[in-house]
Amino acid sequence: MSDAPAAAPASLDFIREMIAADVAAQRNDGWVITRFPPEPNGYLHIGHAKSICLNFGLSLENAPKARCHLRFDDTNPTKEEVEYVDSIQEDVKWLGFDWGDHLFYASDYFEKLYGFAVQLIEKGLAYVDDQTPEEMRANRGTLTSPGTASPFRDRSAAENLDLFARMRAGEFAEGSKVLRAKIDMASPNMNMRDPAIYRILKAHHHRTGDAWSIYPMYDYAHPLSDALEGITHSLCTLEFEHHRPLYEWLIANVSGLPGQPYQREFARLNLTYTLMSKRKLLRLVKEGFVNGWDDPRMPTISGIRRRGYTPTAVRHFCKTIGLTKYPSLTELNLLEHCVREDLNKHAQRVYGVLRPIKVVITNYPAGQVEHVELTNNPENEADGKRLVPLSGELYIDADDFMETPVQGFHRLVPGGEVRLKYAFCIICQEVIKDEAGNIVELRCTYDDATRHGVKPVGRPKVKGTIHWVSAAHALDVEVRLYDKLFTEEQPEEAAGDAGDFTQFLNPQSLEVVTAKLEPSVAEAKPGSYYQFERVGYFYTDPKDSQPGKPVFNRTVALKDGFVKK
RNA sequence: UACCCCUUAGUGUAAUGGUAACAUAACAGAUUCUGACUCUGUUGUUCAAGGUUCGAGUCCUUGAGGGGUAGCCA
């Protein structure tokens, strides 16, 4: 799937408008430098894709005076792991973006950040607080009442310097002291009520090891890291809106910063039938509701990749949903539309029967096998053709036969006629059942005069065309039929505060069938995209497929224009 | 009952004081050796009330509704 990662959208969103104005005004000499700053504490999901497409997209759109950094915001060693660092890089690359040499870690700035903190202390803008976390919380006030100053708020710079140095040296226990910015305990913005900027954490960091026993807080590290990297536009989601004054306070009060970035916020992605919280996603994995972070039902990048979504489709989706400050809920359907749109252009067509019914063509010469030439992809003739065996014993899909048909059913019925695509028409003469009454076989006759799409004159029109697989040549293949993970559009909302979203897990989110596929798929390479004609799009599972023995994941079903009335 | 942000077809977005539109969804029809794709058409939209203006989705006021915020998480 090859379309280039995105030109600018036709009309500018509020962020792009702002940036265009900055460029026009030659702010930062016309440079646009953005960053995607994940904390390596989990796997990236489709919501992150929105941010990735924005930040890296901006860099592409504003070339050559633009770039986008990948920065790991690794300021909390208790939650972070290299496993996540690796997966995040893989996911960003898969989406089609490239950070070049601009891979950074907040932890690389620890020494500089420490120096800035010393500077703030010297300026009388930060102090060491000995209050317990409980006391701090109590004295912070509430949403409707101001906070109370800490008894330690007016320590001298000298004392603060000494204490902060000893915090770094590891002299104090975790939780016993914290460095706070001295701002305004009465601010209506809770973030400005002397926020903690350093805490004591005697934890092993995945990059700095045991070198530090204090770690900067996000609110402190982020703006300063942005400034150190020369970021011009720091874009984040809406819940950081209240952090903006603090961001600006730090940029204004720390001297010697090489850049003057500013922060703007946009609404995060919400998708129907989808959970986007890392914590809840973790629960699904940990409690075994899904099979790992890359389970094709997961909204993680690794999950949707394994499901068979394409980078082009995801990028196009991100462009389509736009960028606003309205906390919208996007229909999953739109994502699926983008996936089908891309796959329709590129997926190779094959015949596959998910729920086989045996069809015996009684007047077809016994033992005869012929080969029909089928188009691999009608959307792209260059994909060529293939030969598919046809014989007197076939499988068709159970969905394509109804013993007592409903209104509008165009496929095979007792005594009725249907076309086998690119073969001939058959008439169902007899339905054979076992003792339990299950259909085990359909006995049919074919009409040689109906080959090549011919409709003999004077015969009732055959409305249905169905796919088929030759029984003797069919491959038995494991196919995983994925459906939406939840039965509710908004599982969290539906569960309420006290409830548990897992009660809305869709029991039908995964069905594994042994399908009958045409023999050509024996050579299917892991990680390739297929359309099973009339059924859906399928992806060769990259983990579980073996040479000659592919396993397929259903990416998304084809739209079904047939609605039973 | 504090502060901040937001509100345009069912959903997601555009319209930058001058004809309310695009995508998707739904529904019709055409086409089709995929009930897909493609094509055509239909339904349906500015939260409310005032104000400014020749003219308001857009600016102002008030109200309503929604989201966010009280980690030594990010």
Side-chain angles (χ1 to χ4, degrees):
Chain A
M1 316 297 99
S2 55
D3 301 1
S11 63
L12 299 187
D13 54 69
F14 74 105
I15 297 271
R16 274 177 247 255
E17 217 165 77
M18 205 175 309
I19 290 177
D22 287 340
V23 170
Q26 286 295 297
R27 181 177 177 268
N28 297 304
D29 200 26
W31 275 82
V32 177
I33 305 173
T34 54
R35 99 271 93 109
F36 174 63
E39 184 191 18
N41 70 341
Y43 282 74
L44 260 26
H45 55 62
I46 181 78
H48 293 108
K50 179 176 180 179
S51 173
I52 293 168
C53 288
L54 202 220
N55 283 295
F56 281 95
L58 245 14
S59 149
L60 261 15
E61 291 155 29
N62 290 283
K65 290 174 101 174
R67 62 174 191 261
C68 180
H69 298 183
L70 174 61
R71 179 172 76 235
F72 289 100
D73 249 334
D74 53 352
T75 56
N76 185 354
T78 64
K79 293 187 170 178
E80 297 151 8
E81 293 173 30
V82 280
E83 175 195 353
Y84 300 129
V85 171
D86 296 339
S87 76
I88 288 168
Q89 296 188 49
E90 185 186 354
D91 290 349
V92 174
K93 279 188 215 156
W94 178 78
L95 275 170
F97 298 106
D98 181 8
W99 53 87
D101 299 330
H102 308 288
L103 175 65
F104 302 102
Y105 295 82
S107 54
D108 287 345
Y109 310 135
F110 280 175
E111 194 59 54
K112 281 182 179 163
L113 294 173
Y114 179 85
F116 291 143
V118 167
Q119 185 196 124
L120 287 174
I121 293 172
E122 287 167 343
K123 287 178 177 171
L125 294 175
Y127 62 97
V128 173
D129 195 345
D130 296 357
Q131 290 183 108
T132 64
E134 295 70 34
E135 288 167 335
M136 260 185 73
R137 192 180 326 120
N139 289 334
R140 187 159 27 233
T142 70
L143 294 174
T144 52
S145 62
T148 315
S150 163
F152 305 97
R153 197 170 196 262
D154 294 316
R155 287 218 252 231
S156 70
E159 189 186 357
N160 281 319
L161 250 14
D162 172 62
L163 256 15
F164 189 47
R166 289 162 61 193
M167 280 168 67
R168 174 177 184 169
E171 281 188 35
F172 307 114
E174 277 188 22
S176 64
K177 282 184 170 48
V178 82
L179 184 71
R180 291 228 251 174
K182 193 192 277 192
I183 308 180
D184 178 8
M185 288 305 293
S187 171
N189 182 342
M190 303 296 288
N191 291 110
M192 299 298 270
R193 318 243 264 228
D194 289 11
I197 57 177
Y198 267 92
R199 77 287 216 185
I200 300 170
L201 240 37
K202 300 196 171 165
H204 186 83
H205 187 281
H206 66 107
R207 302 200 77 224
T208 61
D210 300 312
W212 292 86
S213 46
I214 54 172
Y215 291 90
M217 300 283 290
Y218 163 87
D219 277 324
Y220 173 78
H222 200 88
L224 298 177
S225 302
D226 282 346
L228 286 171
E229 288 178 19
I231 299 300
T232 57
H233 302 86
S234 186
L235 310 174
C236 59
T237 47
L238 245 30
E239 65 270 27
F240 292 103
E241 256 177 326
H242 312 268
H243 299 238
R244 190 151 111 196
L246 178 52
Y247 187 104
E248 290 171 347
W249 185 90
L250 282 160
I251 297 299
N253 284 291
V254 171
S255 354
L257 294 175
Q260 295 282 303
Y262 70 77
Q263 171 186 305
R264 283 298 179 274
E265 313 81 17
F266 60 91
R268 67 182 329 137
L269 171 68
N270 298 297
L271 259 189
T272 56
Y273 302 105
T274 307
L275 235 43
M276 221 66 91
S277 130
K278 266 186 193 173
R279 217 185 77 248
K280 289 179 174 127
L281 259 17
L282 180 67
R283 246 197 90 187
L284 293 176
V285 174
K286 286 266 149 62
E287 296 178 27
F289 292 112
V290 296
N291 305 312
W293 286 102
D294 64 349
D295 185 299
R297 290 166 292 182
M298 290 285 277
T300 50
I301 303 294
S302 52
I304 63 180
R305 172 166 64 226
R306 197 172 169 193
R307 174 91 169 234
Y309 287 20
T310 64
T312 301
V314 175
R315 272 188 252 116
H316 185 234
F317 171 73
C318 288
K319 194 189 286 188
T320 304
I321 56 177
L323 199 70
T324 65
K325 302 187 78 163
Y326 180 72
S328 58
L329 177 65
T330 300
E331 290 174 349
L332 180 59
N333 164 36
L334 185 62
L335 213 206
E336 294 187 335
H337 162 79
C338 293
V339 171
R340 288 193 193 97
E341 186 181 48
D342 186 37
L343 256 15
N344 178 49
K345 282 184 252 173
H346 302 102
Q348 303 297 292
R349 271 61 168 176
V350 293
Y351 285 3
V353 169
L354 262 27
R355 297 181 175 83
I357 300 186
K358 183 75 151 301
V359 167
V360 175
I361 304 174
T362 52
N363 60 340
Y364 191 87
Q368 178 176 309
V369 176
E370 58 185 292
H371 292 270
V372 295
E373 192 179 54
L374 300 180
T375 302
N376 286 331
N377 179 7
E379 302 290 320
N380 181 13
E381 286 302 324
D383 285 339
K385 296 180 182 294
R386 69 188 186 285
L387 258 19
V388 174
L390 169 64
S391 66
E393 289 199 13
L394 310 168
Y395 290 109
I396 65 166
D397 232 306
D399 288 348
D400 289 333
F401 176 78
M402 279 187 104
E403 194 172 16
T404 48
V406 296
Q407 258 282 318
F409 187 74
H410 292 167
R411 285 102 96 161
L412 194 59
V413 300
E417 187 170 19
V418 79
R419 174 172 296 283
L420 297 181
K421 197 176 180 197
Y422 279 99
F424 35 65
C425 294
I426 57 170
I427 296 175
C428 176
Q429 308 290 0
E430 194 183 345
V431 179
I432 299 180
K433 299 181 181 176
D434 61 16
E435 301 103 39
N438 302 310
I439 298 170
V440 293
E441 186 178 308
L442 268 20
R443 299 185 81 79
C444 303
T445 52
Y446 89 105
D447 180 353
D448 207 62
T450 58
R451 286 178 180 270
H452 310 295
V454 171
K455 299 162 189 162
V457 286
R459 289 254 304 275
K461 195 182 171 191
V462 175
K463 284 188 184 161
T465 301
I466 65 174
H467 59 283
W468 47 269
V469 174
S470 172
H473 306 87
L475 252 43
D476 283 338
V477 172
E478 176 179 339
V479 175
R480 299 154 179 175
L481 304 176
Y482 294 105
D483 199 351
K484 48 177 75 95
L485 228 202
F486 293 96
T487 54
E488 291 286 328
E489 281 199 348
Q490 301 184 79
E492 293 163 290
E493 301 279 315
D497 290 338
D500 184 345
F501 66 90
T502 61
Q503 68 183 293
F504 299 115
L505 250 0
N506 178 9
Q508 266 108 50
S509 65
L510 170 59
E511 182 189 356
V512 181
V513 298
T514 301
K516 299 285 187 182
L517 303 189
E518 64 168 72
S520 73
V521 298
E523 287 144 45
K525 299 225 172 7
S528 36
Y529 304 93
Y530 285 91
Q531 183 196 102
F532 294 0
E533 287 211 32
R534 301 206 313 122
V535 177
Y537 293 101
F538 292 80
Y539 185 64
T540 328
D541 192 278
K543 267 190 172 174
D544 298 329
S545 295
Q546 301 292 327
K549 202 173 173 356
V551 171
F552 284 95
N553 300 330
R554 181 170 68 192
T555 308
V556 62
L558 246 33
K559 286 214 289 188
D560 189 357
F562 174 54
V563 282
K564 291 175 189 154
K565 286 164 184 158

